[in-house]
Amino acid sequence: HRELVVLVAYGPLLDDEEVAEIHAVRFDQVFTIRGGNGTAFNEPVGFSSEEALARIVARLAQQAGDPMQPGESVIERRLQRAAIVAVAPPSAANHIVSIRKRRRIEVMPEDRG
């Protein structure tokens, strides 16, 4: 399964500099907020199942250096360039995932001291 190897829907969105936030309200519904205007976009991507989204949440937690613990249903982790918050069953009916990316700050040569 490709979802076991890559971050599927999240991979390209995490790499896209225009995407500020990524939200999955269900495994097959992914929304993004692009730029600074706060407008949500329904993305034409998703995951194949609830289990696939759960595996991605576990993989992101692992990448953050803090693997999910048994029974953990509210997951908060900091990734290299983003923060993830996920709510998993039984705290929610299905996985709900929110990723807020940090903005890259361009440093101009004259700004360096």
PDB file of all heavy atoms in Angstrom, residues 4-34:
ATOM      1  N   LEU A   4       1.340   3.372   3.245  1.00  0.00           N
ATOM      2  CA  LEU A   4       2.271   2.948   4.276  1.00  0.00           C
ATOM      3  C   LEU A   4       3.650   3.542   4.067  1.00  0.00           C
ATOM      4  O   LEU A   4       4.436   3.660   4.990  1.00  0.00           O
ATOM      5  CB  LEU A   4       2.376   1.415   4.297  1.00  0.00           C
ATOM      6  CG  LEU A   4       1.112   0.681   4.691  1.00  0.00           C
ATOM      7  CD1 LEU A   4       1.323  -0.823   4.545  1.00  0.00           C
ATOM      8  CD2 LEU A   4       0.703   1.021   6.110  1.00  0.00           C
ATOM      9  N   VAL A   5       3.953   3.923   2.832  1.00  0.00           N
ATOM     10  CA  VAL A   5       5.291   4.395   2.489  1.00  0.00           C
ATOM     11  C   VAL A   5       5.390   5.916   2.515  1.00  0.00           C
ATOM     12  O   VAL A   5       6.364   6.481   2.978  1.00  0.00           O
ATOM     13  CB  VAL A   5       5.694   3.856   1.097  1.00  0.00           C
ATOM     14  CG1 VAL A   5       7.069   4.355   0.701  1.00  0.00           C
ATOM     15  CG2 VAL A   5       5.651   2.335   1.087  1.00  0.00           C
ATOM     16  N   VAL A   6       4.382   6.594   2.010  1.00  0.00           N
ATOM     17  CA  VAL A   6       4.405   8.063   1.924  1.00  0.00           C
ATOM     18  C   VAL A   6       3.243   8.654   2.713  1.00  0.00           C
ATOM     19  O   VAL A   6       2.375   7.929   3.175  1.00  0.00           O
ATOM     20  CB  VAL A   6       4.349   8.541   0.449  1.00  0.00           C
ATOM     21  CG1 VAL A   6       5.553   8.066  -0.310  1.00  0.00           C
ATOM     22  CG2 VAL A   6       3.080   8.078  -0.217  1.00  0.00           C
ATOM     23  N   LEU A   7       3.227   9.952   2.828  1.00  0.00           N
ATOM     24  CA  LEU A   7       2.166  10.625   3.578  1.00  0.00           C
ATOM     25  C   LEU A   7       0.938  10.935   2.725  1.00  0.00           C
ATOM     26  O   LEU A   7       0.090  11.712   3.122  1.00  0.00           O
ATOM     27  CB  LEU A   7       2.713  11.903   4.222  1.00  0.00           C
ATOM     28  CG  LEU A   7       3.786  11.673   5.272  1.00  0.00           C
ATOM     29  CD1 LEU A   7       4.332  13.001   5.772  1.00  0.00           C
ATOM     30  CD2 LEU A   7       3.257  10.847   6.432  1.00  0.00           C
ATOM     31  N   VAL A   8       0.837  10.317   1.564  1.00  0.00           N
ATOM     32  CA  VAL A   8      -0.298  10.412   0.652  1.00  0.00           C
ATOM     33  C   VAL A   8      -0.757  11.852   0.492  1.00  0.00           C
ATOM     34  O   VAL A   8      -0.027  12.679  -0.014  1.00  0.00           O
ATOM     35  CB  VAL A   8      -1.448   9.494   1.097  1.00  0.00           C
ATOM     36  CG1 VAL A   8      -2.502   9.379   0.018  1.00  0.00           C
ATOM     37  CG2 VAL A   8      -0.925   8.115   1.427  1.00  0.00           C
ATOM     38  N   ALA A   9      -1.958  12.163   0.932  1.00  0.00           N
ATOM     39  CA  ALA A   9      -2.539  13.491   0.745  1.00  0.00           C
ATOM     40  C   ALA A   9      -1.719  14.575   1.429  1.00  0.00           C
ATOM     41  O   ALA A   9      -1.624  15.696   0.930  1.00  0.00           O
ATOM     42  CB  ALA A   9      -3.973  13.510   1.270  1.00  0.00           C
ATOM     43  N   TYR A  10      -1.098  14.258   2.558  1.00  0.00           N
ATOM     44  CA  TYR A  10      -0.385  15.276   3.301  1.00  0.00           C
ATOM     45  C   TYR A  10       0.964  15.642   2.708  1.00  0.00           C
ATOM     46  O   TYR A  10       1.413  16.769   2.860  1.00  0.00           O
ATOM     47  CB  TYR A  10      -0.191  14.846   4.752  1.00  0.00           C
ATOM     48  CG  TYR A  10      -1.440  14.946   5.592  1.00  0.00           C
ATOM     49  CD1 TYR A  10      -1.542  14.264   6.777  1.00  0.00           C
ATOM     50  CD2 TYR A  10      -2.516  15.733   5.198  1.00  0.00           C
ATOM     51  CE1 TYR A  10      -2.678  14.354   7.560  1.00  0.00           C
ATOM     52  CE2 TYR A  10      -3.651  15.823   5.971  1.00  0.00           C
ATOM     53  CZ  TYR A  10      -3.727  15.133   7.152  1.00  0.00           C
ATOM     54  OH  TYR A  10      -4.850  15.229   7.920  1.00  0.00           O
ATOM     55  N   GLY A  11       1.631  14.714   2.052  1.00  0.00           N
ATOM     56  CA  GLY A  11       2.963  14.972   1.517  1.00  0.00           C
ATOM     57  C   GLY A  11       3.044  16.223   0.654  1.00  0.00           C
ATOM     58  O   GLY A  11       3.761  17.176   0.987  1.00  0.00           O
ATOM     59  N   PRO A  12       2.297  16.273  -0.464  1.00  0.00           N
ATOM     60  CA  PRO A  12       2.349  17.466  -1.312  1.00  0.00           C
ATOM     61  C   PRO A  12       1.847  18.730  -0.615  1.00  0.00           C
ATOM     62  O   PRO A  12       2.356  19.819  -0.850  1.00  0.00           O
ATOM     63  CB  PRO A  12       1.446  17.114  -2.498  1.00  0.00           C
ATOM     64  CG  PRO A  12       1.345  15.625  -2.486  1.00  0.00           C
ATOM     65  CD  PRO A  12       1.512  15.202  -1.057  1.00  0.00           C
ATOM     66  N   LEU A  13       0.863  18.589   0.262  1.00  0.00           N
ATOM     67  CA  LEU A  13       0.333  19.762   0.964  1.00  0.00           C
ATOM     68  C   LEU A  13       1.335  20.306   1.967  1.00  0.00           C
ATOM     69  O   LEU A  13       1.448  21.514   2.153  1.00  0.00           O
ATOM     70  CB  LEU A  13      -0.993  19.419   1.650  1.00  0.00           C
ATOM     71  CG  LEU A  13      -2.134  19.031   0.701  1.00  0.00           C
ATOM     72  CD1 LEU A  13      -3.345  18.564   1.497  1.00  0.00           C
ATOM     73  CD2 LEU A  13      -2.497  20.173  -0.225  1.00  0.00           C
ATOM     74  N   LEU A  14       2.079  19.421   2.629  1.00  0.00           N
ATOM     75  CA  LEU A  14       3.118  19.882   3.549  1.00  0.00           C
ATOM     76  C   LEU A  14       4.249  20.579   2.797  1.00  0.00           C
ATOM     77  O   LEU A  14       4.863  21.515   3.314  1.00  0.00           O
ATOM     78  CB  LEU A  14       3.683  18.714   4.358  1.00  0.00           C
ATOM     79  CG  LEU A  14       2.770  18.179   5.464  1.00  0.00           C
ATOM     80  CD1 LEU A  14       3.282  16.849   5.985  1.00  0.00           C
ATOM     81  CD2 LEU A  14       2.653  19.189   6.588  1.00  0.00           C
ATOM     82  N   ASP A  15       4.514  20.155   1.573  1.00  0.00           N
ATOM     83  CA  ASP A  15       5.575  20.761   0.765  1.00  0.00           C
ATOM     84  C   ASP A  15       5.144  22.057   0.086  1.00  0.00           C
ATOM     85  O   ASP A  15       5.987  22.850  -0.317  1.00  0.00           O
ATOM     86  CB  ASP A  15       6.053  19.779  -0.307  1.00  0.00           C
ATOM     87  CG  ASP A  15       6.811  18.607   0.288  1.00  0.00           C
ATOM     88  OD1 ASP A  15       7.310  18.732   1.426  1.00  0.00           O
ATOM     89  OD2 ASP A  15       6.896  17.567  -0.384  1.00  0.00           O
ATOM     90  N   ASP A  16       3.844  22.283  -0.067  1.00  0.00           N
ATOM     91  CA  ASP A  16       3.314  23.451  -0.767  1.00  0.00           C
ATOM     92  C   ASP A  16       3.438  24.689   0.120  1.00  0.00           C
ATOM     93  O   ASP A  16       2.801  24.782   1.174  1.00  0.00           O
ATOM     94  CB  ASP A  16       1.857  23.212  -1.148  1.00  0.00           C
ATOM     95  CG  ASP A  16       1.265  24.299  -2.017  1.00  0.00           C
ATOM     96  OD1 ASP A  16       1.766  25.449  -2.011  1.00  0.00           O
ATOM     97  OD2 ASP A  16       0.276  24.004  -2.712  1.00  0.00           O
ATOM     98  N   GLU A  17       4.267  25.641  -0.296  1.00  0.00           N
ATOM     99  CA  GLU A  17       4.511  26.852   0.504  1.00  0.00           C
ATOM    100  C   GLU A  17       3.260  27.708   0.685  1.00  0.00           C
ATOM    101  O   GLU A  17       3.175  28.488   1.629  1.00  0.00           O
ATOM    102  CB  GLU A  17       5.629  27.685  -0.131  1.00  0.00           C
ATOM    103  CG  GLU A  17       6.987  27.031  -0.057  1.00  0.00           C
ATOM    104  CD  GLU A  17       7.481  26.817   1.360  1.00  0.00           C
ATOM    105  OE1 GLU A  17       7.226  27.676   2.229  1.00  0.00           O
ATOM    106  OE2 GLU A  17       8.111  25.778   1.605  1.00  0.00           O
ATOM    107  N   GLU A  18       2.286  27.614  -0.221  1.00  0.00           N
ATOM    108  CA  GLU A  18       1.068  28.408  -0.113  1.00  0.00           C
ATOM    109  C   GLU A  18       0.116  27.886   0.957  1.00  0.00           C
ATOM    110  O   GLU A  18      -0.741  28.613   1.438  1.00  0.00           O
ATOM    111  CB  GLU A  18       0.348  28.454  -1.468  1.00  0.00           C
ATOM    112  CG  GLU A  18       1.067  29.279  -2.512  1.00  0.00           C
ATOM    113  CD  GLU A  18       1.168  30.748  -2.095  1.00  0.00           C
ATOM    114  OE1 GLU A  18       0.139  31.336  -1.696  1.00  0.00           O
ATOM    115  OE2 GLU A  18       2.273  31.298  -2.161  1.00  0.00           O
ATOM    116  N   VAL A  19       0.237  26.618   1.319  1.00  0.00           N
ATOM    117  CA  VAL A  19      -0.659  25.997   2.290  1.00  0.00           C
ATOM    118  C   VAL A  19      -0.196  26.341   3.694  1.00  0.00           C
ATOM    119  O   VAL A  19       0.925  26.025   4.087  1.00  0.00           O
ATOM    120  CB  VAL A  19      -0.721  24.467   2.086  1.00  0.00           C
ATOM    121  CG1 VAL A  19      -1.535  23.810   3.201  1.00  0.00           C
ATOM    122  CG2 VAL A  19      -1.307  24.132   0.726  1.00  0.00           C
ATOM    123  N   ALA A  20      -1.069  27.001   4.461  1.00  0.00           N
ATOM    124  CA  ALA A  20      -0.748  27.380   5.838  1.00  0.00           C
ATOM    125  C   ALA A  20      -1.285  26.365   6.842  1.00  0.00           C
ATOM    126  O   ALA A  20      -0.670  26.124   7.879  1.00  0.00           O
ATOM    127  CB  ALA A  20      -1.318  28.762   6.143  1.00  0.00           C
ATOM    128  N   GLU A  21      -2.450  25.772   6.535  1.00  0.00           N
ATOM    129  CA  GLU A  21      -3.077  24.806   7.428  1.00  0.00           C
ATOM    130  C   GLU A  21      -3.695  23.684   6.617  1.00  0.00           C
ATOM    131  O   GLU A  21      -4.159  23.908   5.498  1.00  0.00           O
ATOM    132  CB  GLU A  21      -4.172  25.471   8.267  1.00  0.00           C
ATOM    133  CG  GLU A  21      -3.660  26.555   9.177  1.00  0.00           C
ATOM    134  CD  GLU A  21      -4.771  27.209   9.983  1.00  0.00           C
ATOM    135  OE1 GLU A  21      -5.792  26.532  10.285  1.00  0.00           O
ATOM    136  OE2 GLU A  21      -4.629  28.391  10.308  1.00  0.00           O
ATOM    137  N   ILE A  22      -3.718  22.487   7.215  1.00  0.00           N
ATOM    138  CA  ILE A  22      -4.333  21.320   6.600  1.00  0.00           C
ATOM    139  C   ILE A  22      -5.261  20.712   7.639  1.00  0.00           C
ATOM    140  O   ILE A  22      -4.865  20.505   8.786  1.00  0.00           O
ATOM    141  CB  ILE A  22      -3.273  20.274   6.197  1.00  0.00           C
ATOM    142  CG1 ILE A  22      -2.197  20.902   5.310  1.00  0.00           C
ATOM    143  CG2 ILE A  22      -3.944  19.078   5.503  1.00  0.00           C
ATOM    144  CD1 ILE A  22      -0.953  20.040   5.176  1.00  0.00           C
ATOM    145  N   HIS A  23      -6.509  20.426   7.234  1.00  0.00           N
ATOM    146  CA  HIS A  23      -7.492  19.868   8.163  1.00  0.00           C
ATOM    147  C   HIS A  23      -8.185  18.685   7.509  1.00  0.00           C
ATOM    148  O   HIS A  23      -8.652  18.793   6.376  1.00  0.00           O
ATOM    149  CB  HIS A  23      -8.539  20.916   8.539  1.00  0.00           C
ATOM    150  CG  HIS A  23      -7.948  22.155   9.120  1.00  0.00           C
ATOM    151  ND1 HIS A  23      -7.556  22.241  10.436  1.00  0.00           N
ATOM    152  CD2 HIS A  23      -7.653  23.352   8.561  1.00  0.00           C
ATOM    153  CE1 HIS A  23      -7.051  23.450  10.657  1.00  0.00           C
ATOM    154  NE2 HIS A  23      -7.093  24.138   9.536  1.00  0.00           N
ATOM    155  N   ALA A  24      -8.244  17.569   8.218  1.00  0.00           N
ATOM    156  CA  ALA A  24      -9.025  16.419   7.775  1.00  0.00           C
ATOM    157  C   ALA A  24     -10.142  16.237   8.790  1.00  0.00           C
ATOM    158  O   ALA A  24      -9.887  15.994   9.969  1.00  0.00           O
ATOM    159  CB  ALA A  24      -8.165  15.162   7.697  1.00  0.00           C
ATOM    160  N   VAL A  25     -11.368  16.404   8.328  1.00  0.00           N
ATOM    161  CA  VAL A  25     -12.512  16.232   9.222  1.00  0.00           C
ATOM    162  C   VAL A  25     -13.058  14.813   9.126  1.00  0.00           C
ATOM    163  O   VAL A  25     -13.811  14.379   9.983  1.00  0.00           O
ATOM    164  CB  VAL A  25     -13.620  17.266   8.938  1.00  0.00           C
ATOM    165  CG1 VAL A  25     -13.134  18.658   9.289  1.00  0.00           C
ATOM    166  CG2 VAL A  25     -14.076  17.209   7.498  1.00  0.00           C
ATOM    167  N   ARG A  26     -12.665  14.117   8.082  1.00  0.00           N
ATOM    168  CA  ARG A  26     -12.933  12.696   7.856  1.00  0.00           C
ATOM    169  C   ARG A  26     -11.799  12.184   6.996  1.00  0.00           C
ATOM    170  O   ARG A  26     -11.058  12.967   6.421  1.00  0.00           O
ATOM    171  CB  ARG A  26     -14.229  12.484   7.078  1.00  0.00           C
ATOM    172  CG  ARG A  26     -15.487  12.873   7.771  1.00  0.00           C
ATOM    173  CD  ARG A  26     -16.694  12.762   6.855  1.00  0.00           C
ATOM    174  NE  ARG A  26     -16.485  11.849   5.722  1.00  0.00           N
ATOM    175  CZ  ARG A  26     -17.353  10.939   5.325  1.00  0.00           C
ATOM    176  NH1 ARG A  26     -18.475  10.794   5.964  1.00  0.00           N
ATOM    177  NH2 ARG A  26     -17.105  10.182   4.283  1.00  0.00           N
ATOM    178  N   PHE A  27     -11.691  10.891   6.859  1.00  0.00           N
ATOM    179  CA  PHE A  27     -10.592  10.340   6.060  1.00  0.00           C
ATOM    180  C   PHE A  27     -10.670  10.771   4.600  1.00  0.00           C
ATOM    181  O   PHE A  27      -9.656  10.887   3.934  1.00  0.00           O
ATOM    182  CB  PHE A  27     -10.548   8.806   6.168  1.00  0.00           C
ATOM    183  CG  PHE A  27     -11.645   8.093   5.419  1.00  0.00           C
ATOM    184  CD1 PHE A  27     -11.474   7.734   4.088  1.00  0.00           C
ATOM    185  CD2 PHE A  27     -12.834   7.779   6.049  1.00  0.00           C
ATOM    186  CE1 PHE A  27     -12.470   7.070   3.408  1.00  0.00           C
ATOM    187  CE2 PHE A  27     -13.841   7.113   5.373  1.00  0.00           C
ATOM    188  CZ  PHE A  27     -13.663   6.758   4.043  1.00  0.00           C
ATOM    189  N   ASP A  28     -11.868  11.056   4.120  1.00  0.00           N
ATOM    190  CA  ASP A  28     -12.027  11.409   2.712  1.00  0.00           C
ATOM    191  C   ASP A  28     -12.345  12.881   2.487  1.00  0.00           C
ATOM    192  O   ASP A  28     -12.728  13.279   1.390  1.00  0.00           O
ATOM    193  CB  ASP A  28     -13.096  10.535   2.058  1.00  0.00           C
ATOM    194  CG  ASP A  28     -14.457  10.647   2.742  1.00  0.00           C
ATOM    195  OD1 ASP A  28     -14.551  11.277   3.819  1.00  0.00           O
ATOM    196  OD2 ASP A  28     -15.426  10.094   2.197  1.00  0.00           O
ATOM    197  N   GLN A  29     -12.168  13.715   3.503  1.00  0.00           N
ATOM    198  CA  GLN A  29     -12.402  15.157   3.381  1.00  0.00           C
ATOM    199  C   GLN A  29     -11.209  15.913   3.946  1.00  0.00           C
ATOM    200  O   GLN A  29     -10.997  15.939   5.159  1.00  0.00           O
ATOM    201  CB  GLN A  29     -13.656  15.587   4.133  1.00  0.00           C
ATOM    202  CG  GLN A  29     -14.941  15.224   3.443  1.00  0.00           C
ATOM    203  CD  GLN A  29     -16.109  15.819   4.195  1.00  0.00           C
ATOM    204  OE1 GLN A  29     -16.291  15.576   5.384  1.00  0.00           O
ATOM    205  NE2 GLN A  29     -16.897  16.600   3.503  1.00  0.00           N
ATOM    206  N   VAL A  30     -10.430  16.527   3.049  1.00  0.00           N
ATOM    207  CA  VAL A  30      -9.259  17.294   3.446  1.00  0.00           C
ATOM    208  C   VAL A  30      -9.452  18.737   2.974  1.00  0.00           C
ATOM    209  O   VAL A  30      -9.765  18.973   1.813  1.00  0.00           O
ATOM    210  CB  VAL A  30      -7.965  16.699   2.851  1.00  0.00           C
ATOM    211  CG1 VAL A  30      -6.760  17.563   3.195  1.00  0.00           C
ATOM    212  CG2 VAL A  30      -7.753  15.269   3.357  1.00  0.00           C
ATOM    213  N   PHE A  31      -9.289  19.666   3.888  1.00  0.00           N
ATOM    214  CA  PHE A  31      -9.396  21.088   3.590  1.00  0.00           C
ATOM    215  C   PHE A  31      -8.060  21.758   3.874  1.00  0.00           C
ATOM    216  O   PHE A  31      -7.322  21.320   4.756  1.00  0.00           O
ATOM    217  CB  PHE A  31     -10.469  21.750   4.467  1.00  0.00           C
ATOM    218  CG  PHE A  31     -11.853  21.233   4.219  1.00  0.00           C
ATOM    219  CD1 PHE A  31     -12.341  20.151   4.932  1.00  0.00           C
ATOM    220  CD2 PHE A  31     -12.651  21.818   3.257  1.00  0.00           C
ATOM    221  CE1 PHE A  31     -13.610  19.664   4.708  1.00  0.00           C
ATOM    222  CE2 PHE A  31     -13.937  21.335   3.020  1.00  0.00           C
ATOM    223  CZ  PHE A  31     -14.413  20.259   3.745  1.00  0.00           C
ATOM    224  N   THR A  32      -7.769  22.818   3.141  1.00  0.00           N
ATOM    225  CA  THR A  32      -6.566  23.595   3.415  1.00  0.00           C
ATOM    226  C   THR A  32      -6.930  25.064   3.555  1.00  0.00           C
ATOM    227  O   THR A  32      -7.960  25.510   3.059  1.00  0.00           O
ATOM    228  CB  THR A  32      -5.524  23.477   2.287  1.00  0.00           C
ATOM    229  OG1 THR A  32      -6.108  23.913   1.064  1.00  0.00           O
ATOM    230  CG2 THR A  32      -5.008  22.057   2.158  1.00  0.00           C
ATOM    231  N   ILE A  33      -6.059  25.772   4.211  1.00  0.00           N
ATOM    232  CA  ILE A  33      -6.109  27.236   4.233  1.00  0.00           C
ATOM    233  C   ILE A  33      -4.824  27.678   3.574  1.00  0.00           C
ATOM    234  O   ILE A  33      -3.734  27.286   3.990  1.00  0.00           O
ATOM    235  CB  ILE A  33      -6.268  27.783   5.653  1.00  0.00           C
ATOM    236  CG1 ILE A  33      -7.615  27.309   6.205  1.00  0.00           C
ATOM    237  CG2 ILE A  33      -6.127  29.301   5.668  1.00  0.00           C
ATOM    238  CD1 ILE A  33      -7.974  27.800   7.561  1.00  0.00           C
ATOM    239  N   ARG A  34      -4.973  28.452   2.518  1.00  0.00           N
ATOM    240  CA  ARG A  34      -3.826  28.888   1.723  1.00  0.00           C
ATOM    241  C   ARG A  34      -3.611  30.381   1.923  1.00  0.00           C
ATOM    242  O   ARG A  34      -4.559  31.139   2.009  1.00  0.00           O
ATOM    243  CB  ARG A  34      -4.055  28.592   0.242  1.00  0.00           C
ATOM    244  CG  ARG A  34      -4.124  27.110  -0.032  1.00  0.00           C
ATOM    245  CD  ARG A  34      -4.489  26.821  -1.485  1.00  0.00           C
ATOM    246  NE  ARG A  34      -4.506  25.401  -1.731  1.00  0.00           N
ATOM    247  CZ  ARG A  34      -3.454  24.694  -2.111  1.00  0.00           C
ATOM    248  NH1 ARG A  34      -2.307  25.294  -2.313  1.00  0.00           N
ATOM    249  NH2 ARG A  34      -3.552  23.397  -2.303  1.00  0.00           N
TER     250      ARG A  34
END
